[in-house]
Amino acid sequence: MTNSEVIKQVQNYEGTNNFMNSLKRGYQKYGRLTENQMAAAVRTIEGMRRREQSQKRININLVGDTIKIGRKIALGIKEQYNLEFHPILVDVTAVTAITDKAIRFKGKLTKENGGICRCCAKTLTDEMSQLTGIGPVCAKYVGVEHTKTKEDVEKFKEDMSKKIDEIGEFEFWIPKRAVIKWDGNGEVIMKL
């Protein structure tokens, strides 16, 4: 692959690969790529082609399944979708592709209380956070005012639900080994 072909692929890249997106932003900002960046781009492009050839395209509806993902994957989603928080507990809405090592999901931040903060996975220590499923700092990042009384919990849950619907769905690849916990029927997919 020539340098001009690599640059063209980087410039026209529209996918979800964080590395390729960072190369694209760097090229847009500086107007060039180093030789090391070009070599890494070629390896990444070839790897994506191999993965695409080996993946099984599927569309399985898994509404109701919730997965707990690792912080690194959540950080990638945060950066890709310009979120102010880490989506740690995610309600799966569909599985769109699968390879031997990874799964591509569509999902959104969970509305259910998972016993830990849905955005940072820290243990919820105060009563209001335990009732709402999110701590006050993360609630601020999501854009919902955290409740201070038990009477306001239902209102908070409604506001949180509206905000999650507003944020919407995101699509992401996750290595099978990075799925920390999967609650629901879709766990069988991990064995494919």
Side-chain angles (χ1 to χ4, degrees), residues 5 13-14 35 37 47 53 75 127 139 145 156 186:
E5 289 173 328
Y13 185 72
E14 295 294 329
E35 288 301 317
Q37 289 173 320
Q53 290 169 350
L75 177 62
E127 184 180 15
E145 187 175 330
F156 174 84

Side-chain angles (χ1 to χ4, degrees), residues 2 5-6 18-19 23 39 61 96 113 125 144 152 160 165 179:
T2 66
E5 289 173 328
V6 173
N18 290 333
F19 177 70
L23 282 180
N61 187 340
T96 57
N113 187 346
T125 55
V144 179
D152 296 333
M160 188 69 179
D165 290 339
V179 176

Side-chain angles (χ1 to χ4, degrees), residues 11 60 64 68 83 86 93 96 115 122 131 141 143 174 184 188:
Q11 284 178 306
I60 300 172
K68 178 182 178 187
L83 303 174
H86 295 79
T93 56
T96 57
K122 291 184 180 174
L131 289 172
Y141 288 132
I174 182 169
V188 72

Side-chain angles (χ1 to χ4, degrees), residues 91-96 104-108 169-172:
D91 285 341
V92 176
T93 56
V95 174
T96 57
R104 187 170 62 204
F105 290 103
K106 281 187 179 179
K108 53 192 345 185
E169 213 173 38
F170 28 84
E171 188 167 5
F172 56 98

Side-chain angles (χ1 to χ4, degrees), residues 62 65 103 181-192:
L62 294 170
D65 282 11
I103 303 170
K181 184 177 180 188
W182 188 321
D183 292 330
N185 299 323
E187 189 172 7
V188 72
I189 289 173
M190 297 296 283
K191 295 174 177 76
L192 292 177

Side-chain angles (χ1 to χ4, degrees), residues 96-113:
T96 57
I98 191 166
T99 68
D100 292 339
K101 296 182 180 181
I103 303 170
R104 187 170 62 204
F105 290 103
K106 281 187 179 179
K108 53 192 345 185
L109 187 63
T110 189
K111 294 179 181 181
E112 299 302 316
N113 187 346

Side-chain angles (χ1 to χ4, degrees), residues 21-33 37:
N21 283 319
S22 70
L23 282 180
K24 183 177 181 177
R25 286 189 302 273
Y27 186 78
Q28 289 170 341
K29 184 174 182 179
Y30 300 110
R32 65 182 181 82
L33 295 174
Q37 289 173 320

Side-chain angles (χ1 to χ4, degrees), residues 2-15:
T2 66
N3 285 352
S4 61
E5 289 173 328
V6 173
I7 289 172
K8 187 174 183 176
Q9 293 234 0
V10 168
Q11 284 178 306
N12 295 330
Y13 185 72
E14 295 294 329

